[in-house]
Amino acid sequence: MLIRELKAYNSRNIYSHQKVIKMIVDLEKWDNIPTNQIPKFNQRLLELLPGLAAHYCSLGYEGGFKRRLDEGTYLAHVIEHSALEILNQVGQPVSFGQARRIKNTSCYTIVFAQREEHAGLEAGKTAVQMVKAITTDTTFDITERLNRIQELSWKFGLGPSTRAIADAALDRGIPVTRIGKGSIIQLGYGKYHKKIEGTLTDNTSCISVDMACDKTVTKELLEQAGIPVPKGGVCRTIKEAIQTAEEIGYPVVLKPVNGNQGKGVSLNIQCPEEIPEAFRIAAAFSENILVEEYINGNDYRILVVGNQVSAVSLRIPANVIGDGRHTIAQLVELKNKDERRGEDHERPLTKIKLDEISMAILKKQGYLPDSIPKKGIRVYLKMSGNLSTGGEAVDYTDRIHPDNQQIAIRAAKIIGLDIAGIDIKCKNIDKPLTLGQGAVIEVNASPGIRMHLYPSKGKVRKVGNAIVDMLFPYGSKHSVPIVSVTGTNGKTTTTRMISHILKTRGMRVGMTTTDGIYIDDNCIMKGDTTGPASAKMLLTDKSIDVAVLETARGGIIRSGLGYDLADIGVLTNISEDHIGLDGVNSLEDMLHVKSLVIEAVKSNGHVVLNADDQMVVQAAGHSKASIIYFSLQEDNLIVHKHISDGGIAVFLKDNYITLATGNGLLKSLSIIQVPSVYGGKLKYNIENCLAAFSAAYALNIPLQIIERALTSFYCNEIHNPGRFNIFNIRDFRVVVDYGHNLAGYASITEAVKKMGGSRLIGIIGAPGDRSDSSIHSMGKIAGKSFHQIIIKEDRVLRGRQAGEVSHLLMKGVLSSGLPKHAVTMIRNEDEALRAAIQNAAAGDIIVVFYEDLECIMNIINQETTKIEKQNQKEVSSDFMLAKA
């Protein structure tokens, strides 16, 4: 029993719209053996994971899976359910899963939902290892595995505070993107997005954080504003600290000027003899030590979010209660066994550590760690109530006096924090501080919110929601519009057309395509950037008004989508390409992959579908969004029915782009006015134009802007590089295009036949990951279309042997009836083009199906430069003769 593939999907994917783990498991000899034929299998399985007995399974009721076990189900199904149950046991409530056999093999694709990938991957491994152990009748320690998976979940998952904010955003429909492996998350996309780390937002300036971290600066600013603060001063030596303490009067507090989370703080110092030790503890964190008067009373934390107090907690320092039997150290150990307590901030509470501060506090109370306190006696282990030092909290939100609320809000504003934790020491928070009842001790940037989410007593406060609502008030925008374009052919051109329309509208456009990531006309990254990583990169950019994403098959299959939901999804067409790769073995499989783009559109968004493509029309059932059909035929039945049902469509009528809405028909541009279709010769570009028109209309772009943009979009190296670019060299032409599949070859050759060349010369190649039959058919199409052919081979062989693709193309070309003397084989693309140019005659058209556009353009530019220099030389010579 082997795991042959194991990977995590952390976005919408071809298996589910939630995060999943995908495994390919080879069951080997256990392939066809059901559970009821394996001795004691069901018994041992349910002993290890008793929660499986409650799983519904496909039967739809509690206990359904147990019934399947008793009837006899297969081990892939058991592994799926076991992985889900393991994740449920460690606090990841998940239920989606599926197991499917891969053709006629002993391998299965097993998919199950996950919330944190490290824990999910380990759950998958554990499920397989457990099932294998049961089948081989060996022992298996499930407890040790569950503990490990739990630790992974806490270590790599979002902490409680960040998770609360992320969940609140998701509840509002705001997409959440984790940045790195820490606690930084991005809420929303593009220019509207906000980043937050813990509770520190990108609205907060560095100087505000610096001021909050410097306790002396904070005190000075608050005191100037009339807010009560403790008396005190900064010291650098023990002597200075004793002198300041005597000036203030005991008891006092010593703490580092730049400390946080209660580190290095010593409270309630009663005499000069206690100061040296307290000074040494504080000096471990800062060379500047703050000596303050000790304010007697309770320790309160007020959470200010924006202009409101969102929560108030009474903080109780770490303590244990004696039972008359256990030592203090043992009581701490017992208390730390509470599963809510973790090492740091990963759980609701933090474990109590007996450090030197604890020793000093115990000594004050007359105890040692091995002392046994009497039953019911509370022994304090820390003086501050910080949760990070093991403290607990009681909710006091409903008790705070309105005057104290205003003091807390003012304190946050004075420091410049949109989210702040205001520490107040007073006897009763329901009495105004202005009556001399206490003081503001500290103002904290990035305050912890665990105490409000998980109080030991009192109400849970939804402070994550308050933070999200402050960042994105209801009615405000959180994301820029997203247009996602997919299909077999036409993706790049359609993406560029839509982007050109939006730029003409005056929007700053982010775009991903097969040749790079662009912001307006600036390429910020070259290469094929049609996958999820590129989309994510673009959507983190604060400058873009809209994102137009070319979304290709490969990225969808490998990693899912790079965004949550789009506003517009475009599906141009579905035809034979990449069949036989990555589990895609038919056009129906390809439709399933591409349909993810259509499914992942907002319910109030639009999907744009090609009504002339029967496969594309099937995708309509995958979307809850409004549909806009486009068609080259005004009598398309799908379009007619859609219009009669009140839908929107864009189609050609008498060579005019025509928009059909509930208000009737609107004649727009004549297709002759659109330069990218070359007078109607490029049929596929008319389709791309209709798709782009539809998407722009769905984005509420005015028709006059759409028309102006389409009449100024050219198939050249500026607007649409590498897509039917035509170059005049001497007295012949060169057409450069990225045709790389059957439909592409058919469309390009159909178009060049209409261009009136005396001879058509094709420089052809094919990607190595296409099937033998597809490559052969591409050669056959070329053989029927060109008078002469040069066969070249891509540098990136994609799993083929050198010469393999070119020989398949040669067979295809010759099968068309083109004589062998009209076919040449030149492996290198650049040499093939140079040879074609050298042998070109007047009126010829050379068509290059390129792999490397930059290489091809360098050769063309060299040729045009050579011609320009020759022309200049001739003009100069004529001028000299005339002068003579």
Side-chain angles (χ1 to χ4, degrees), residues 35-313:
T35 53
N36 60 357
Q37 293 182 19
I38 303 172
K40 296 184 179 180
F41 183 91
N42 294 349
Q43 177 187 337
R44 284 198 62 197
L45 177 68
L46 293 174
E47 286 172 356
L48 288 168
L49 292 175
L52 286 172
H55 282 214
Y56 280 46
C57 195
S58 58
L59 297 179
Y61 56 82
E62 187 173 330
F65 179 66
K66 184 176 183 301
R67 179 177 173 181
R68 294 288 302 276
L69 286 173
D70 294 338
E71 293 173 347
T73 189
Y74 292 97
L75 296 187
H77 187 207
V78 175
I79 291 168
E80 169 210 330
H81 274 270
S82 298
L84 290 170
E85 178 59 22
I86 287 167
L87 290 176
N88 276 278
Q89 288 292 314
V90 300
Q92 292 192 26
V94 289
S95 58
F96 167 78
Q98 63 182 35
R100 301 286 185 271
R101 184 193 291 271
I102 300 175
K103 294 183 178 178
N104 298 316
T105 70
S106 58
C107 292
Y108 287 77
T109 299
I110 301 172
V111 176
F112 57 91
Q114 51 97 359
R115 296 193 68 179
E116 194 291 308
E117 65 173 292
H118 296 84
L121 292 167
E122 194 63 26
K125 293 178 192 175
T126 299
V128 172
Q129 291 161 0
M130 181 190 70
V131 169
K132 186 175 181 179
I134 298 173
T135 57
T136 55
D137 197 24
T138 55
T139 58
F140 190 81
D141 188 347
I142 190 66
T143 302
E144 185 273 332
R145 296 303 183 91
L146 288 173
N147 289 339
R148 167 160 174 72
I149 294 167
Q150 181 74 84
E151 290 298 326
L152 287 171
S153 180
W154 282 327
K155 179 179 179 181
F156 293 104
L158 293 175
S161 298
T162 308
R163 169 53 61 195
I165 296 168
D167 286 346
L170 292 171
D171 286 345
R172 286 267 312 269
I174 300 171
V176 177
T177 306
R178 189 173 185 180
I179 309 296
K181 299 296 183 182
S183 58
I184 301 175
I185 54 175
Q186 175 181 311
L187 308 179
Y189 295 135
K191 71 177 183 180
Y192 300 113
H193 86 255
K194 301 286 186 184
K195 292 187 180 74
I196 185 167
E197 180 178 17
T199 56
L200 186 66
T201 76
D202 56 8
N203 292 338
T204 305
S205 68
C206 288
I207 192 169
S208 293
V209 175
D210 286 345
M211 288 190 296
C213 290
D214 191 322
K215 294 174 174 55
T216 57
V217 172
T218 299
K219 277 185 62 177
E220 185 177 338
L221 290 170
L222 297 183
E223 192 171 17
Q224 287 174 0
I227 293 176
V229 295
K231 293 180 291 184
V234 177
C235 306
R236 295 175 66 89
T237 66
I238 294 173
K239 183 178 179 181
E240 289 177 4
I242 293 172
Q243 183 179 345
T244 302
E246 290 177 348
E247 290 172 359
I248 295 170
Y250 292 98
V252 295
V253 176
L254 263 71
K255 55 187 174 183
V257 165
N258 305 111
N260 58 41
Q261 298 178 352
K263 295 173 183 174
V265 177
S266 297
L267 303 176
N268 199 15
I269 296 168
Q270 298 284 345
C271 61
E273 289 74 21
E274 294 180 16
I275 285 182
E277 179 63 14
F279 191 96
R280 188 185 65 78
I281 292 170
F285 298 93
S286 175
E287 61 182 13
N288 295 314
I289 310 303
L290 184 60
V291 180
E292 288 183 337
E293 66 172 315
Y294 176 72
I295 306 295
N296 194 28
N298 293 318
D299 180 6
Y300 296 98
R301 164 61 65 85
I302 293 94
L303 179 68
V304 175
V305 178
N307 295 315
Q308 297 181 50
V309 168
S310 292
V312 180
S313 289

Side-chain angles (χ1 to χ4, degrees), residues 743-754:
Y745 264 60
S747 297
I748 299 305
T749 53
E750 179 187 349
V752 294
K753 287 175 185 177
K754 299 173 183 177

